[in-house]
Amino acid sequence: SRLREGRQKKDFLKALQEREESNIPTFFRNSAPAVRSDRDCVLAAVQKHGRALESAAHHFKADREVVRAAVSSNGQAFQYAADSLKSDKEFVLEVVKIFGEALRHVDHSLKMDRDVVLQAV
C-alpha cells in the first residue's frame, strides 16, 4: 500500500543517516523494493556511497543525476551505469572529469576518443 511504502521510505532515510558509509551498499541492497525504486531513497543512498547504484532500480542507472551523484561519491560506481550513459560522450566527459579511472567502464567506442582520454588524465 502507499502508506506502507511511505513508512518504508521514511524508515530507510532515517536509518541511512545512522549507517557507516562502508555498509551503505549492502544496506541498500537489502532494502525493500519500494525503497530501491524511490528516487529520493536512491539519491540519498548513492550520495552516501556511490556503489549503492548497483542495487537501484534499473531505470535509475540511466538517470544522469543519480549516476552523477553516485560517481561523485564513489568513482567506481560508473561500472553500474546503464550502457546508454556509458556511450553518451557528453556524459562520459563529465564522469571522467570527476573520476578519471571511470574510463575503463566507458563504451568501447569512446575508450580511444581523444577528448575523453584527455579529460580523464
Side-chain angles (χ1 to χ4, degrees):
S1 83
R2 200 177 202 100
L3 186 61
R4 193 169 116 233
E5 287 179 7
R7 181 180 259 341
Q8 287 174 334
K9 176 181 171 179
K10 184 179 173 188
D11 291 347
F12 170 79
L13 290 171
K14 184 174 188 272
L16 182 67
Q17 298 312 312
E18 300 164 0
R19 289 280 188 267
E20 289 288 325
E21 182 182 308
S22 61
N23 297 333
I24 299 300
T26 302
F27 175 62
F28 187 63
R29 181 174 47 252
N30 294 327
S31 296
V35 166
R36 294 191 316 273
S37 298
D38 181 273
R39 193 167 201 280
D40 294 335
C41 292
V42 171
L43 264 174
V46 301
Q47 285 170 343
K48 254 195 125 165
H49 197 301
R51 292 185 70 140
L53 183 64
E54 180 180 13
S55 301
H58 185 73
H59 61 278
F60 291 119
K61 296 177 182 185
D63 181 310
R64 288 169 173 265
E65 184 182 3
V66 170
V67 174
R68 189 180 300 112
V71 172
S72 294
S73 170
N74 182 308
Q76 296 294 336
F78 194 57
Q79 67 188 302
Y80 306 116
D83 290 343
S84 61
L85 290 184
K86 291 178 181 178
S87 61
D88 179 325
K89 183 175 177 178
E90 179 185 321
F91 190 72
V92 164
L93 284 168
E94 275 185 62
V95 167
V96 297
K97 185 175 184 175
I98 295 168
F99 183 71
E101 290 181 38
L103 184 61
R104 77 174 96 172
H105 302 295
V106 305
D107 185 76
H108 182 72
S109 66
L110 294 175
K111 284 191 177 184
M112 300 306 287
D113 182 284
R114 187 174 192 277
D115 299 332
V116 171
V117 172
L118 287 174
Q119 187 72 279
V121 292

